[in-house]
Amino acid sequence: MHRAAELTPPPATAGDRTRPPATTVGELARAGALVLHTGGGQAAGDAPVPLAVGDVLVVPVPGGTGTARVVTAATAGTALGRNQYLLRPDPAALDPWFLAGFLRGTANTRQASSYASSATRLDVRRLHLPRLPLAEQRRYGARFQALAEFEDVLQRAARLGEQLVQGLYDGLSDGTVTPS
């Protein structure tokens, strides 16, 4: 609970409601602030794109949302997967944690999604983020990085909890744990 309290930002005041001008991933790509790679059905002869530390991996999920994660040393070197997007920000222009954090906003991914029959497609180029100086991006980026670390800890705790519960089910059903 202490970590959750640390990660909770202070409430906004009336003066904090102004929003800076926004840009899109497509505009940033055209300006050279980032390079966009799409992991599709690679044709024969296409080289897979390896993930590098600091890249932002965007993976669309059903329901018109997506998840964006910064590539760390643990996942660097793996190839970009099918239906995934890789954003390689220029570190002199964009903080990767800032980029990934804003791309994960629910309203952002809903707006950038299109619905065709029962399938949902995420248009990464339409995702928005604010235009902020690099120092301010880094402030946001540090908060988003802390949230990502907290999320990882929560997911690990959930997996361990599931294993514990399954072990208790197994123990009760095979007689190694008694019901009392």
Side-chain angles (χ1 to χ4, degrees):
M1 292 304 281
H2 178 69
R3 185 72 174 136
E6 288 175 357
L7 292 172
T8 304
T13 63
D16 292 341
R17 298 278 180 199
T18 59
R19 293 187 179 183
T23 187
T24 65
V25 168
E27 289 169 349
L28 291 169
R30 284 189 296 279
L34 63 81
V35 176
L36 171 64
H37 294 280
T38 303
Q42 275 95 7
D46 284 352
V49 178
L51 306 182
V53 172
D55 286 348
V56 175
L57 183 64
V58 180
V59 181
V61 294
T65 62
T67 184
R69 299 289 290 199
V70 175
V71 175
T72 62
T75 53
T78 60
L80 179 62
R82 184 178 175 90
N83 300 323
Q84 296 179 344
Y85 302 92
L86 178 114
L87 307 177
R88 185 160 286 156
D90 174 352
L94 282 172
D95 180 86
W97 293 99
F98 164 82
L99 178 62
F102 273 97
L103 297 186
R104 284 195 57 180
T106 303
N108 200 8
T109 55
R110 272 200 198 121
Q111 173 196 314
S113 298
S114 61
Y115 298 90
S117 67
S118 63
T120 304
R121 183 173 146 343
L122 180 66
D123 185 352
V124 174
R125 288 176 178 81
R126 290 179 47 200
L127 291 169
H128 285 94
L129 61 153
R131 290 181 193 258
L132 295 175
L134 191 55
E136 187 68 7
Q137 290 179 35
R138 289 186 176 135
R139 285 187 49 214
Y140 274 97
R143 178 66 71 168
F144 285 133
Q145 183 176 9
L147 282 172
E149 291 167 2
F150 184 60
E151 179 182 34
D152 290 344
V153 168
L154 288 176
Q155 289 173 346
R156 180 170 165 73
R159 285 190 305 272
L160 291 172
E162 289 170 0
Q163 291 172 0
L164 173 63
V165 168
Q166 187 60 51
L168 290 171
Y169 271 110
D170 293 346
L172 281 166
S173 63
D174 69 14
T176 57
V177 174
T178 62
S180 51

